[in-house]
Amino acid sequence: SAVISQKPSRDICQRGTSLTIQCQVDSQVTMMFWYRQQPGQSLTLIATANQGSEATYESGFVIDKFPISRPNLTFSTLTVSNMSPEDSSIYLCSVCPILAGDTDTQYFGPGTRLTVL
Amino acid sequence: QKEVEQNSGPLSVPEGAIASLNCTYSDRGSQSFFWYRQYSGKSPELIMSIYSNGDKEDGRFTAQLNKASQYVSLLIRDSQPSDSATYLCAVKGPNNDMRFGAGTRLTVKP
């Protein structure tokens, strides 16, 4: 499977500020996704990061709040804008690697734990 | 109706027993199904994928799929305390995204 890293691993931010989270993969991947996992909850898909075009957002998530970039096949960023305490969560990047017979499976990065005060 | 439903648990089994985790899904056209394990404070890690009706075994883990009943399960044989975690059922959506259940918290008692 692909090796996925996220930066930062955790951060504490003030209300009203923005944080950009980076996701880096050690090999080219077909799909990259961003999820949110609020305390004690399961994973909720925020958006699919599309290489070279605008991300595809799920219902309830908008580009102004969660701008996403994906400049190439190994890197993506998620920005959490104008943060409020309700944005405190773990943000996870996941990828579908380009592997024979395994293009369906998603692998997750280690996550970014965000606390907004 | 939620897209992917799991018994939230918690499920507690003694060491050495079989743990049975269940999941149902709503989209009859779904073709790809996954079980992830998530330890507290960690990200989900893939245990198994299953695409065809029937059983798929990998070590102590067996995934079972019944598309007619829209049902997926995971059996863990000879459960160990290290298996204590939250188990997430996931179903691949039409846009290659994953739809996750709420997770079942499993505790294996020594």
Side-chain angles (χ1 to χ4, degrees):
Chain A
S1 63
V3 176
I4 308 164
S5 60
Q6 284 186 235
K7 289 182 182 180
S9 59
R10 60 177 62 229
D11 207 342
I12 300 173
C13 300
Q14 295 297 320
R15 181 195 300 262
T17 63
S18 298
L19 176 71
T20 295
I21 302 168
Q22 298 180 3
C23 178
Q24 179 73 56
V25 193
D26 70 340
S27 59
Q28 292 186 345
V29 298
T30 56
M31 310 284 288
M32 296 182 80
F33 304 90
W34 286 99
Y35 289 83
R36 180 173 73 183
Q37 187 172 31
Q38 294 179 306
Q41 304 295 314
S42 188
L43 284 77
T44 300
L45 180 65
I46 298 172
T48 303
N50 299 311
Q51 194 263 328
S53 64
E54 194 170 284
T56 304
Y57 290 85
E58 295 297 302
S59 176
F61 297 96
V62 295
I63 188 171
D64 290 347
K65 176 66 176 178
F66 297 101
I68 288 171
S69 77
R70 189 180 172 192
N72 55 50
L73 292 178
T74 64
F75 184 79
S76 177
T77 66
L78 167 74
T79 299
V80 186
S81 303
N82 188 25
M83 287 183 285
S84 66
E86 292 71 33
D87 294 319
S88 297
S89 186
I90 298 173
Y91 292 85
L92 292 152
C93 167
S94 77
V95 306
C96 291
I98 301 175
L99 294 172
D102 193 22
T103 54
D104 270 0
T105 304
Q106 284 189 29
Y107 296 91
F108 285 86
T112 296
R113 183 181 295 273
L114 171 62
T115 302
V116 184
L117 302 178
Chain B
Q1 180 188 9
K2 293 182 181 178
E3 292 184 76
V4 182
E5 295 207 48
Q6 295 181 249
N7 291 332
S8 59
L11 174 65
S12 181
V13 301
E15 184 174 355
I18 296 176
S20 177
L21 305 162
N22 304 317
C23 173
T24 58
Y25 58 95
S26 60
D27 184 355
R28 186 170 288 278
S30 299
Q31 298 294 322
S32 305
F33 307 88
F34 306 84
W35 283 99
Y36 288 83
R37 177 176 62 199
Q38 186 174 27
Y39 292 112
S40 180
K42 301 294 186 182
S43 63
E45 55 179 328
L46 180 71
I47 298 175
M48 290 186 72
S49 58
I50 186 167
Y51 306 100
S52 303
N53 280 328
D55 295 358
K56 180 181 178 183
E57 186 173 319
D58 184 359
R60 295 186 295 111
F61 298 95
T62 299
Q64 299 174 317
L65 174 61
N66 184 325
K67 291 184 181 179
S69 300
Q70 296 174 241
Y71 176 87
V72 192
S73 67
L74 180 71
L75 300 177
I76 307 174
R77 290 183 300 281
D78 188 23
S79 295
Q80 302 297 308
S82 59
D83 295 327
S84 299
T86 295
Y87 289 80
L88 299 165
C89 173
V91 179
K92 192 156 191 177
N95 298 317
N96 288 321
D97 55 307
M98 291 284 199
R99 304 293 171 171
F100 285 86
T104 299
R105 184 185 298 272
L106 171 67
T107 300
V108 181
K109 295 186 175 180

